[in-house]
Amino acid sequence: MSSKKGSIVVVSTGMTLGAHMTPRCRSYIEHADIVIGSNPPLVEQWLESINPNYQSLQGLYAKGKHRADTYREMVDTMMAAVREGKNVVGAFYGHAGVFAWAPHRVVKEARKEGYEAHMEAGVSAEDCLYADMGIDPGRVGSQHFETTQLMKYQRQIDPTAYLILWQVGLAGDTTVKRFSTGEAYRQVLVDLLSEHYPLEHQVAIYECPFTALDDMRIEWMALKNLPSAHVSLISTLVVPPSQKMVKNQTVLDKLAELDLQQEL
Amino acid sequence: MSAIELLEKLGADSQFDKSQLTSEQINDLIKLSSDDEVVPPPMVHDTPDDEDEQEDKIVQ
C-alpha cells in the first residue's frame, strides 16, 4: 500500500439517475475531499447534493477544440488535486471505464506517481441496451466499435453476430472537434455497412434514459434510411446478424477425434 | 424534498407511486429535465497513442 498522501478513486454513476450507482460508489462520493466529474447537468446537480465539493469538468469542452486536449485537461485537473494530497473521486456517467479515455489515464498516471488509485465498475449503456432490447450477447456474439474508428480502419465485420456501433451521431468525424456530423457522413457509414448487410436490413437506434422520467428510444429502420434518421451524441446503432453462423468442420473433426481418444 | 432528490427517488424506488406527485413537484421535475443536455463521453476514437499501443502488445 502506498504511503503517499493523496489518492483517486474513479467511480461510475450509471446511466439512469438514482437507479444505477452502486452503494460503494456512493460511499466514495460521500467521503471524498473533492469530487471531480464529467456528467450530464442533472447528474452533476445530484452529485453536488451528495457531496457539495463537486467540480465539473464540462467547461473544458468547447466547439472547435480537439477533444484529446479536453481529455488531457481532465486528467491534469484530477491529478492536480491528488498531488495536493486530497482524496479525490473522479465521477463519470455510465461505466467510467467504458468509452472513456480520461478515467483510465488518471488511474494509470496516479499509480505511476505512487498514489493509490483504482476504478469502480458501474452500469454502462451497453448493459442497459442488453436489458432494454432483449439481446443476450452470448447467443451469437456481439462486436462493438466506436463508429468513426470502424470507418477509418480496416476492421473485420462479422455479419453472423450483433454489431453495435457507439457514437453514431459523430460518424466520420475525423477532426475530433465536432459534436455531430450529418447525413452525408452517415451515408458513408451505410455504404461501408452495405458491403456486409442488405440495404433493407433492419437496424435500430437505441438511446438509454438518463432519468426515470425519460423514455428509452428503440427505433427500427432499414439500413438505407439511417442517414436521414435523428441521431444524437447518445445514439447507438444496433445491427442484428444478417447471416447464420457456419460450422467450422475442421475444428469439429479435431474435437471429435479428441473425444474419441479420451473415451479410450 | 428537493426536485433532484425526488428524481433520485424516482430512479431508485421501484415502488414509488408517481401519482402521489403534486403538480408543483411535476413542474419542478419538468423544468429540471428541460435544463438537461447531452454531454460527450470522455473518450478518444482516433488512433490510440503510442503508450496505449505498447500496452496492447501490438506487433507492427
Side-chain angles (χ1 to χ4, degrees):
Chain A
M1 185 174 282
S2 169
S3 59
K4 206 165 181 180
K5 207 173 170 217
S7 66
I8 183 157
V9 181
V10 175
V11 305
S12 310
T13 60
M15 293 306 296
T16 304
L17 194 154
H20 294 158
M21 188 194 288
T22 65
R24 190 174 173 85
C25 285
R26 187 181 178 105
S27 173
Y28 275 119
I29 291 170
E30 285 169 348
H31 295 99
D33 292 330
I34 185 169
V35 182
I36 303 173
S38 173
N39 296 280
L42 275 182
V43 175
E44 302 214 312
Q45 278 188 53
W46 175 44
L47 296 175
E48 205 170 344
S49 75
I50 300 171
N51 187 327
N53 203 8
Y54 178 80
Q55 180 181 341
S56 174
L57 296 168
Q58 286 305 105
L60 297 175
Y61 284 110
K63 278 183 183 166
K65 178 179 177 182
H66 199 289
R67 282 197 293 282
D69 294 335
T70 299
Y71 306 147
R72 181 66 251 169
E73 288 167 10
M74 287 181 174
V75 173
D76 291 344
T77 303
M78 290 184 277
M79 281 306 300
V82 172
R83 292 185 192 113
E84 285 173 12
K86 292 176 177 169
N87 293 316
V88 180
V89 160
F92 294 85
Y93 73 95
H95 185 308
V98 175
F99 279 75
W101 180 87
H104 281 296
R105 179 52 60 114
V106 75
V107 168
K108 198 179 297 179
E109 292 192 9
R111 284 178 177 166
K112 201 171 177 181
E113 293 185 24
Y115 297 101
E116 282 186 35
H118 77 276
M119 181 183 289
E120 289 287 331
V123 176
S124 68
E126 179 186 348
D127 301 306
C128 298
L129 184 153
Y130 293 142
D132 292 339
M133 295 194 69
I135 294 172
D136 181 346
R139 195 173 69 79
V140 292
S142 182
Q143 285 187 308
H144 293 253
F145 296 103
E146 196 283 329
T147 306
T148 300
Q149 190 186 75
L150 175 78
M151 295 169 76
K152 283 184 64 178
Y153 297 93
Q154 296 187 28
R155 311 302 300 262
Q156 302 294 317
I157 293 175
D158 178 358
T160 68
Y162 276 91
L163 176 67
I164 317 282
L165 298 183
W166 299 92
Q167 300 192 153
V168 69
L170 290 169
D173 172 30
T174 56
T175 69
V176 201
K177 292 179 179 177
R178 286 175 287 196
F179 292 136
S180 68
T181 49
E183 284 194 39
Y185 290 82
R186 286 195 294 281
Q187 184 59 54
V188 176
L189 173 64
V190 169
D191 293 344
L192 173 66
L193 294 177
S194 68
E195 294 172 16
H196 306 273
Y197 302 91
L199 283 170
E200 296 296 333
H201 188 59
Q202 289 292 301
V203 301
I205 297 285
Y206 170 75
E207 291 176 4
C208 182
F210 276 123
T211 77
L213 295 174
D214 303 327
D215 294 320
M216 75 175 97
R217 178 183 172 207
I218 300 173
E219 185 180 341
W220 289 95
M221 65 196 73
L223 175 61
K224 67 179 181 185
N225 293 330
L226 177 64
S228 59
H230 171 70
V231 296
S232 73
L233 278 171
I234 60 168
S235 302
T236 299
L237 182 68
V238 179
V239 185
S242 63
Q243 296 175 24
K244 287 186 174 174
M245 292 185 286
V246 179
K247 286 182 180 173
N248 186 332
Q249 200 54 52
T250 307
V251 172
L252 285 171
D253 289 344
K254 283 182 183 174
L255 294 174
E257 186 69 26
L258 279 175
D259 288 346
L260 275 175
Q261 287 172 11
Q262 293 197 354
E263 280 173 16
L264 289 174
Chain B
M1 190 183 291
S2 70
I4 200 74
E5 287 169 336
L6 193 56
L7 205 53
E8 179 184 3
K9 191 165 179 57
L10 276 169
D13 184 355
S14 65
Q15 303 303 304
F16 188 82
D17 183 3
K18 290 181 190 174
S19 66
Q20 289 179 358
L21 293 173
T22 64
S23 55
E24 188 183 359
Q25 286 174 318
I26 290 170
N27 286 337
D28 285 348
L29 289 174
I30 290 170
K31 186 175 183 314
L32 261 186
S33 294
S34 64
D35 288 346
D36 211 17
E37 54 190 60
V38 173
V39 296
M43 78 159 296
V44 172
H45 55 64
D46 211 324
T47 315
D49 60 30
D50 292 343
E51 197 175 327
D52 287 338
E53 287 196 353
Q54 281 173 11
E55 288 182 0
D56 290 341
K57 309 279 191 297
I58 288 176
V59 178
Q60 297 294 338

